[in-house]
Amino acid sequence: MTSSSALASGHIGLNVTDLGRSLPFYAGTLGFEVIGEGKEDGRRFAFLGRDGTLVLTLWQQAESAFEATRAGLHHLAFEAASIDEVRAAEARLKGLGVDFVHDGVVAHREGAASGGIFFHDPDGTRLEIYAPSGAEESPAPSAAAPTCGFF
């Protein structure tokens, strides 16, 4: 790699406690397509994506739920094309009884155009669906810290 090379995000890998519970959440609820599944030494895994491109891998090898106080992943954010898509996802997730951090769409910070929804997956992993604009009229839960910060 040269100094002028730029890295881009590839895919994200998440450890889960129960693939049978997490796969329907990410594939069915969040709309990812299952690209592949497998089993290795009694542990299951799944590859999920959009339009054939890998976005997320789920690895059934965690023994306990997500812990916000441990080093590692803080949260995982998915970008939607519009704030209307964010609101549609919110309605779908609320209908399924998903645990939300904030009520409704919130701005990323006071006066920001970008914003979204913040919630937890079945293992308590912190997730966000946001749009780069459209949240101008939405509240910011904290004036001092970014909305995606301490939750």
Side-chain angles (χ1 to χ4, degrees):
M1 182 165 74
T2 66
S3 61
S4 63
S5 296
L7 297 176
S9 295
H11 67 276
I12 302 294
L14 294 179
N15 285 337
V16 299
T17 59
D18 181 354
L19 189 64
R21 180 179 65 174
S22 293
L23 191 54
F25 177 82
Y26 283 95
T29 306
L30 295 183
F32 288 102
E33 63 189 52
V34 178
I35 296 173
E37 291 184 70
K39 190 173 189 175
E40 175 89 18
D41 296 327
R43 295 180 296 188
R44 295 175 55 202
F45 60 91
F47 301 130
L48 297 107
R50 294 264 157 95
D51 301 322
T53 300
L54 181 63
V55 174
L56 182 67
T57 58
L58 302 177
W59 303 92
Q60 182 177 299
Q61 59 186 12
E63 295 179 3
S64 61
F66 177 84
E67 293 183 44
T69 58
R70 296 186 64 146
L73 179 73
H74 180 273
H75 75 284
L76 177 57
F78 299 104
E79 183 177 329
S82 70
I83 205 70
D84 290 336
E85 285 186 25
V86 174
R87 289 191 173 102
E90 176 192 20
R92 216 173 33 254
L93 293 165
K94 280 189 175 182
L96 295 169
V98 169
D99 176 40
F100 279 81
V101 178
H102 306 293
D103 187 33
V105 172
V106 293
H108 278 137
R109 67 183 190 304
E110 198 69 43
S114 63
I117 56 174
F118 298 84
F119 56 99
H120 297 98
D121 81 353
D123 283 312
T125 301
R126 302 180 299 187
L127 302 173
E128 170 186 1
I129 298 176
Y130 74 96
S133 63
E136 293 87 345
E137 303 300 318
S138 299
S142 170
T147 301
C148 62
F150 301 104
F151 70 95

